[in-house]
């Protein structure tokens, strides 16, 4: 397409190959392939005795190697990776400290890598010029061969038709078309067809809405960014329902009008058919969706629709950031604060951060939208790196819900025991049932929730392989480890030899236990539970939500799955069973996460005509994050949190680099960690702070011990440069493995 043809003057291609080697190899480009081999081309090269797939990542004039082998073949008509994405992969490899080959694998979906050129081909019947001339004799054909006549008639309306559609319309088969081909009236040709994920959906076109003044202001700043790249990034800070999506849609239109393309990232969990439909109903077929739930064929074809420029807007979760959109004008990152933008396996990239980098590299605007900006993003806005607009009110001026905090310590004193539902929450639910309104109950059960506790000695059933409490699953009456998946039977009495108390009970609170309680308390209500266990089947998520939307469910309870993006007008009450779970994670971001979570959950209440109410149960009612969430006071939360981050030199004032060591022997891990620290230390800038090796909060997982070394530095480079050299030369014990996490989000 528009890649400069660098192959002309540089006959040697730098190639990385699809086996994990952090190396680039030189191959000669034979004259016959000179025009075809470009940066980003997928090529077949000889490697030892084999022929393997590789990617051209650059060209050099001279090689250090004497005898170069030739590139054998180029795959596909067009380089698979655009030059700008090769550059982005290089940046990722350097920043996140991973091999370039791994970064390239990340930017190219596996269905595209493995089956490039494997499009679905279907025979098409094409009207030839002669066919039109015989239209006089069509009458005769109609009598002699009515099916053939029907085919010609259909082709008269639409000169090219795929055989399946022709068959559907006329009853004719491929044999009928062959007969016509013999007569020279049609031509049969295999052509590509797209396997489209949208076939089943009919969308009703929508028109741009007249914007509210605050939206207008947002759009004009984004327009300025699109046109001048000043500011380079716009933080669109607006409560749920403030009309952010409409602003995205109109910004996308601006970009399309300039002949440019765009990428829209949404968190995996929000990538529902409804979300995609909002974009499709405005822009139709120029929207492609890149989604792991599509079939391999659909994913392959959608990706190529983007690569070939037939689709101009790519929507998807994290990895859609690497969509090969040509002439990129805008990247939208919706819910930019979402942790799921960070990939938790190598390369551990953060899609929002890489989006900002891609925007810079390709000179395109970036919009970060959220109701609860990440501290990093709001800080960047505060110090002028990003532009910022605030959508302070909901579009329809609906009131924000009233948030009430219930102190569970007092509740316990009053009732003489600890109930799952406080008196306040109980009454509130009953009121909704009476008024035929709906309730959402939210429980963040993941993390370090204890599950099987002895009331006498305090024993907690832990996984033998991982240092976490096991979770009791009632349906199967067994204990499961949510880290490694181990299953254990439930002991009949406390296993502690000095205790053996038979009153061994389920202590922690899981969604199942809440469900049971709610069913018991409200026997006439329809209750549904939604969490990882009830949605293992692919369609379950949609089915439960469908039933809830239809009003067949009175009370929906679940994990964070229900905290995001759902919009049900009849929900007037949201109950948070235990706000403290997220708060007590061993992580400096616990306060931020709790604040975000409560704000998001609260956003579920009262989107209809009735004002919503939120009840938050907690044992720490005066915690600043909970108090700020209660007042819907982002600024207050920010002011306090940012001071704490500044004092302790945590992000956004520093970058974190976390090295996790894993191995079967604790002493060996500790010794290895110490040795590594001793070697890196002299090379570190004196301003870099480091801690460890220390046992990780999740000290054991899957039978291995885990140790962490944590670095905090003003610039990632101050850690990564010395570290890279050290890690390459370091003598690792055979069974010790390590992972480097730059800008770590999970501290476990
Ligand atoms: P957000 O993305 O911030 O949650 P949406 O863009 O989804 O907000 O807007 C919330 C609701 O308000 C949607 O139903 C949307 O169609 C409607 N809406 C948005 N902007 C306008 C507008 N300018 N005029 C009328 N309705 C609007
Ligand atoms: Zn385990």
């Amino acid at each position: 397409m528009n890649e400069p043809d660098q192959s002309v003057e540089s006959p040697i291609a730098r190639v990385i190959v699809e086996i994990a080697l952090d190396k680039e190899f030189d191959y000669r480009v034979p004259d016959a392939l000179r025009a075809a081999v470009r940066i980003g081309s997928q090529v077949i090269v000889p490697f030892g005795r084999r022929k393997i797939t590789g990617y051209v990542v650059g060209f050099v004039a001279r090689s250090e190697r004497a005898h170069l082998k030739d590139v054998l073949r180029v795959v596909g008509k067009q380089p698979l990776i655009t030059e700008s994405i090769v550059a982005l992969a290089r940046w990722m490899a350097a920043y996140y400290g991973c091999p370039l080959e791994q970064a390239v694998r990340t930017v190219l979906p596996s269905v595209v890598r493995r089956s490039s050129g494997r499009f679905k081909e279907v025979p098409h019947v094409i009207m030839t010029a002669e066919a039109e001339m015989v239209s006089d004799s069509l009458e005769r054909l109609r009598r002699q061969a009515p099916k053939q006549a029907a085919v010609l008639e259909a082709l008269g309306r639409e000169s090219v038709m795929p055989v399946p559609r022709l068959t559907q319309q006329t009853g004719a088969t491929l044999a009928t078309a062959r007969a016509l081909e013999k007569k020279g009236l049609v031509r049969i040709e295999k052509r590509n067809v797209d396997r489209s994920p949208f076939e089943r959906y009919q969308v009703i076109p929508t028109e741009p809405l007249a914007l509210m003044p605050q939206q207008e202001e947002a759009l004009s700043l984004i327009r300025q960014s699109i046109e001048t790249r000043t500011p380079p990034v716009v933080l669109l800070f607006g409560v749920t329902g403030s009309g952010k999506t409409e602003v995205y849609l109109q910004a996308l239109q601006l970009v399309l009008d300039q002949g440019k393309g765009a990428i829209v990232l949404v968190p995996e969990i929000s990538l529902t058919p409804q979300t995609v439909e909002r974009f499709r109903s405005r822009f139709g077929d120029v929207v492609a969706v890149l989604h792991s739930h599509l079939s391999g064929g659909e994913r392959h074809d959608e990706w190529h629709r983007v690569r070939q420029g037939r689709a101009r807007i790519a929507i998807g979760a994290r990895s859609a950031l690497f969509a090969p959109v040509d002439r990129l004008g805008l990247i939208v990152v919706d819910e930019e604060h979402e942790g799921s933008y960070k990939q938790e396996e190598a390369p551990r990239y953060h899609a929002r951060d890489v989006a900002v980098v891609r925007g810079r590299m390709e000179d395109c605007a970036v919009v970060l939208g959220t109701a609860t900006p990440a501290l990093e993003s709001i800080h960047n806005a505060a110090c002028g790196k990003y532009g910022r607009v605030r959508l302070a009110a909901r579009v329809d001026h609906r009131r924000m819900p009233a948030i009430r905090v219930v102190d569970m310590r007092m509740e316990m004193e009053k009732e003489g025991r600890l109930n799952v539902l406080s008196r306040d929450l109980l009454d509130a639910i009953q009121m909704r049932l009476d008024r035929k309104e709906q309730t959402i109950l939210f429980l963040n059960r993941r993390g370090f929730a204890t599950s099987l506790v002895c009331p006498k000695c305090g024993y907690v059933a832990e996984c033998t392989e991982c240092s976490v409490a096991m979770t009791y699953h009632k349906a199967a009456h067994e204990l499961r480890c949510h880290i490694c998946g181990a299953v254990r039977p439930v002991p009949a009495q406390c296993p502690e030899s000095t205790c053996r108390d038979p009153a061994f009970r389920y202590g922690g609170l899981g969604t199942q236990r809440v469900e049971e309680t709610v069913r018991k308390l409200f026997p006439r209500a329809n209750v549904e539970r939604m969490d990882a266990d009830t949605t293992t089947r692919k369609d379950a998520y949609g089915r439960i939500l469908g039933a809830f939307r239809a009003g067949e469910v009175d009370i929906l309870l679940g994990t964070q799955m229900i905290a995001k993006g759902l919009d049900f007008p009849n929900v007037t009450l949201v109950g948070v069973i235990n706000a403290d779970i997220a708060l007590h994670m061993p992580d400096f971001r616990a306060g931020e996460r709790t604040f975000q979570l409560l704000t998001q959950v609260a956003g579920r209440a009262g989107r209809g005509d009735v004002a919503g109410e939120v009840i938050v149960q907690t044992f720490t009612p005066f915690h600043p994050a909970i108090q700020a969430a209660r007042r819907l006071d982002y600024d207050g939360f920010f002011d306090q949190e940012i001071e704490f981050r500044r004092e302790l030199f945590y992000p956004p004032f520093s970058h974190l680099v976390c090295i996790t060591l894993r191995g079967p022997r604790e002493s060996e891990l500790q010794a290895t960690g110490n040795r590594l620290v001793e070697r890196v230390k002299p090379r570190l800038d004196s301003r870099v702070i480091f801690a460890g090796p220390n046992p990780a909060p999740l000290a054991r997982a899957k039978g291995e011990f885990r140790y962490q070394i944590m670095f905090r530095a003003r610039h990632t480079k101050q850690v990564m440069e010395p570290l890279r050299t050290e890690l390459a030369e370091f003598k690792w014990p055979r069974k010790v493995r390590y992972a480097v996490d730059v800008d770590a989000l999970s501290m476990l």
Side-chain angles (χ1 to χ4, degrees):
M1 296 198 82
N2 58 354
E3 282 99 49
D5 194 358
Q6 294 176 329
S7 55
V8 178
E9 57 222 59
S10 315
I12 297 166
R14 281 259 142 111
V15 175
I16 53 165
V17 295
E18 278 207 343
I19 36 183
L21 297 170
D22 191 8
K23 242 189 188 169
E24 296 171 24
F25 299 90
D26 292 348
Y27 286 91
R28 226 176 56 86
V29 181
D31 286 345
L33 293 182
R34 266 190 157 189
V37 175
R38 314 256 204 92
I39 288 185
S41 289
Q42 191 178 37
V43 289
I44 308 295
V45 292
F47 195 83
R49 287 195 205 159
R50 293 185 297 156
K51 294 174 187 174
I52 60 170
T53 304
Y55 299 91
V56 177
V57 293
F59 291 97
V60 287
R62 225 165 310 137
S63 175
E64 282 150 29
R65 300 267 316 250
H67 301 288
L68 294 184
K69 291 179 182 168
D70 277 4
V71 172
L72 300 176
R73 197 158 69 73
V74 181
V75 183
K77 292 195 188 88
Q78 206 180 16
L80 266 193
I81 321 175
T82 61
E83 202 173 332
S84 50
I85 291 181
V86 172
L88 192 63
R90 272 197 195 282
W91 180 88
M92 281 170 61
Y95 187 85
Y96 292 106
C98 73
L100 179 57
E101 185 275 337
Q102 194 173 53
V104 165
R105 252 191 299 173
T106 304
V107 300
L108 208 55
S110 60
V111 281
V112 174
R113 260 185 292 132
R114 288 202 214 98
S115 62
S116 64
R118 227 180 283 157
F119 292 90
K120 186 179 177 193
E121 290 188 324
V122 166
H124 281 59
V125 184
I126 302 147
M127 177 88 105
T128 60
E130 291 95 300
E132 285 160 39
M133 289 188 286
V134 297
S135 58
D136 299 340
S137 46
L138 198 62
E139 198 50 44
R140 186 153 37 92
L141 199 59
R142 215 170 257 147
R143 271 174 275 121
Q144 290 169 351
K147 287 241 172 92
Q148 293 183 15
V151 170
L152 288 181
E153 274 170 333
L155 287 174
R157 295 188 293 270
E158 218 176 317
S159 59
V160 182
M161 280 179 100
V163 169
R165 193 157 83 235
L166 201 58
T167 305
Q168 198 186 25
Q169 284 191 8
T170 65
T173 60
L174 187 58
T176 325
R178 289 253 156 78
L180 285 166
E181 192 182 29
K182 277 213 185 91
K183 295 179 188 168
L185 299 176
V186 304
R187 201 150 42 81
I188 300 172
E189 209 178 271
K190 283 210 162 152
R191 291 193 178 178
N192 291 344
V193 291
D194 290 329
R195 283 152 290 190
S196 165
F198 304 120
E199 240 147 46
R200 285 157 290 147
Y201 298 102
Q202 198 89 41
V203 296
I204 300 154
T206 59
E207 292 296 318
L209 301 169
L211 294 184
M212 315 288 271
Q214 52 176 5
Q215 288 173 307
E216 201 63 76
E217 192 189 325
L219 184 64
S220 93
L221 187 64
I222 296 169
R223 182 189 292 119
Q224 187 186 320
S225 173
I226 291 170
E227 282 163 6
T228 65
R229 291 284 288 129
T230 317
V233 177
V234 174
L235 179 64
L236 183 52
F237 178 6
V239 293
T240 337
S242 61
K244 294 188 293 296
T245 309
E246 184 61 32
V247 174
Y248 304 153
L249 288 167
Q250 302 203 13
L252 291 168
Q253 187 64 57
L254 290 177
V255 166
L256 290 182
D257 290 345
Q258 297 183 355
K260 293 184 176 176
I263 293 171
V264 179
L265 299 185
V266 297
E268 180 81 39
I269 208 160
S270 324
L271 193 54
T272 58
Q274 290 87 331
T275 305
V276 177
E277 190 180 313
R278 281 192 76 180
F279 293 87
R280 290 248 313 149
S281 59
R282 192 66 59 85
F283 302 113
D285 281 341
V286 301
V287 175
V289 60
L290 302 172
H291 192 325
S292 60
H293 287 188
L294 305 182
S295 73
E298 287 169 343
R299 251 187 304 172
H300 172 270
D301 291 359
E302 285 290 278
W303 190 90
H304 278 283
R305 270 194 336 116
V306 176
R307 180 69 185 96
Q308 293 163 3
R310 290 184 291 137
R312 300 296 290 142
I313 299 173
I315 299 186
R318 191 169 60 217
S319 64
L321 173 62
F322 307 113
V325 176
D326 186 36
R327 277 169 298 139
L328 194 58
L330 176 65
I331 304 174
V332 173
V333 183
D334 191 27
E335 312 275 2
E336 62 87 26
H337 64 277
E338 262 289 306
S340 64
Y341 282 126
K342 172 91 173 166
Q343 177 155 293
E344 291 297 352
E345 59 208 49
R348 295 175 169 75
Y349 72 93
H350 196 302
R352 176 199 59 219
D353 298 346
V354 183
V356 171
V357 172
R358 187 170 178 189
R360 194 169 64 215
M361 288 177 140
E362 300 196 32
D363 214 24
C364 91
V366 178
V367 172
L368 309 179
T370 175
T372 49
L375 263 272
E376 286 84 351
S377 301
I378 197 85
H379 181 66
N380 278 327
C383 49
K385 276 206 243 170
Y386 297 174
R388 141 160 84 163
V389 216
R390 198 149 181 174
L391 306 182
R394 287 179 169 187
V395 167
D396 47 17
H397 298 292
R398 254 174 247 147
R399 271 176 302 146
M400 294 300 284
I403 300 182
R404 196 135 49 97
V405 174
V406 174
D407 184 345
M408 293 302 275
R409 294 169 311 182
M410 279 171 62
E411 182 75 16
M412 205 158 92
E413 230 165 71
K414 228 166 36 194
E415 304 284 322
R417 50 177 284 195
L418 182 60
N419 295 319
V420 174
L421 302 182
S422 60
R423 173 61 43 202
D424 285 356
L425 187 50
L426 213 66
D427 293 345
I429 296 174
Q430 186 58 55
M431 188 167 108
R432 280 8 182 243
L433 291 174
D434 295 342
R435 296 203 310 224
K436 303 252 175 299
E437 293 168 6
Q438 289 171 300
T439 298
I440 287 178
L441 294 179
F442 174 80
L443 178 69
N444 189 3
R445 178 206 50 176
R446 295 174 69 213
F448 288 9
T450 54
S451 281
L452 201 52
V453 189
C454 175
K456 224 175 190 168
C457 76
Y459 169 90
V460 175
E462 278 197 359
C463 176
T464 52
E465 303 299 303
C466 312
S467 54
V468 292
M470 296 189 91
T471 304
Y472 176 63
H473 284 250
K474 178 131 204 238
H477 191 60
E478 64 195 14
L479 294 169
R480 278 193 216 148
C481 171
H482 285 189
I483 300 286
C484 73
V487 175
R488 266 206 289 154
V490 177
Q493 54 185 14
C494 177
E496 206 63 59
S497 58
T498 51
C499 179
R500 303 283 181 211
D501 194 274
F504 200 37
R505 273 297 150 256
Y506 319 117
L509 210 48
T511 40
Q512 293 186 4
R513 167 110 181 271
V514 177
E515 180 186 6
E516 191 180 275
T517 309
V518 171
R519 283 188 194 282
K520 224 178 262 162
L521 290 169
F522 304 104
R524 311 247 299 274
N526 288 318
V527 181
E528 276 279 3
R529 171 165 64 95
M530 189 150 93
D531 55 30
D533 298 318
T534 63
T535 52
T536 44
R537 285 196 38 186
K538 215 173 136 187
D539 54 352
Y541 182 77
R543 185 188 55 76
I544 296 174
L545 289 186
F548 192 57
R549 191 179 300 277
E552 290 155 21
V553 175
D554 303 307
I555 302 170
L556 178 65
L557 70 99
T559 52
Q560 49 262 76
M561 241 181 223
I562 60 172
K564 312 275 160 65
L566 307 180
D567 182 3
F568 301 105
N570 200 34
V571 173
T572 56
L573 173 66
V574 172
V576 178
I577 305 290
N578 182 356
D580 304 345
I581 294 176
L583 206 53
H584 296 155
M585 297 288 278
D587 185 335
F588 72 93
R589 287 193 180 88
E592 182 179 4
R593 295 230 174 86
T594 301
F595 178 82
Q596 285 170 348
L597 199 64
L598 292 179
T599 312
Q600 297 281 337
V601 174
R604 303 300 117 234
R607 301 200 56 161
D609 302 324
V610 188
E613 183 183 24
V614 178
I615 294 181
V616 176
Q617 304 190 145
T618 171
F619 287 90
T620 46
F622 299 109
H623 190 284
I626 289 178
Q627 281 302 321
R630 182 184 66 75
R631 297 190 307 264
L632 295 164
D633 178 12
Y634 183 90
D635 297 330
F637 169 74
F638 173 77
D639 289 344
Q640 189 155 26
E641 184 72 14
I642 201 79
E643 275 321 306
F644 146 73
R645 302 284 181 93
R646 193 197 310 273
E647 252 158 53
L648 298 179
F649 197 45
Y650 275 127
F653 298 97
S654 64
H655 287 271
L656 286 185
V657 176
C658 177
I659 304 182
T660 306
L661 307 180
R662 285 177 298 154
R665 285 204 305 275
E666 192 168 8
S667 56
E668 187 181 44
L669 277 189
Q670 177 133 37
T672 309
N674 280 328
R675 198 153 53 79
L676 182 63
V677 165
E678 284 313 312
R679 301 209 41 148
V680 177
K681 211 158 59 179
R683 298 180 186 243
L684 286 179
D685 186 300
S686 62
R687 284 161 296 181
V688 174
I689 297 177
F690 71 91
N694 291 318
L698 177 62
R700 287 183 74 202
K702 299 174 187 169
E704 288 189 315
F705 290 93
R706 305 172 80 250
Y707 266 69
Q708 279 177 349
I709 307 168
M710 190 83 79
F711 297 89
R712 277 173 287 160
R714 187 74 199 83
H715 304 286
T716 317
K717 258 200 287 195
Q718 295 170 321
V719 179
M720 290 308 283
E721 273 171 8
L723 201 57
R724 204 189 324 269
T725 336
E726 234 14 273
L727 288 175
E729 295 165 3
F730 195 71
K731 298 260 177 305
W732 292 98
R734 209 162 51 82
K735 291 206 169 138
V736 174
R737 280 167 302 151
Y738 74 94
V740 179
D741 192 351
V742 176
D743 295 331
L745 271 192
S746 164
M747 300 295 129
L748 297 183

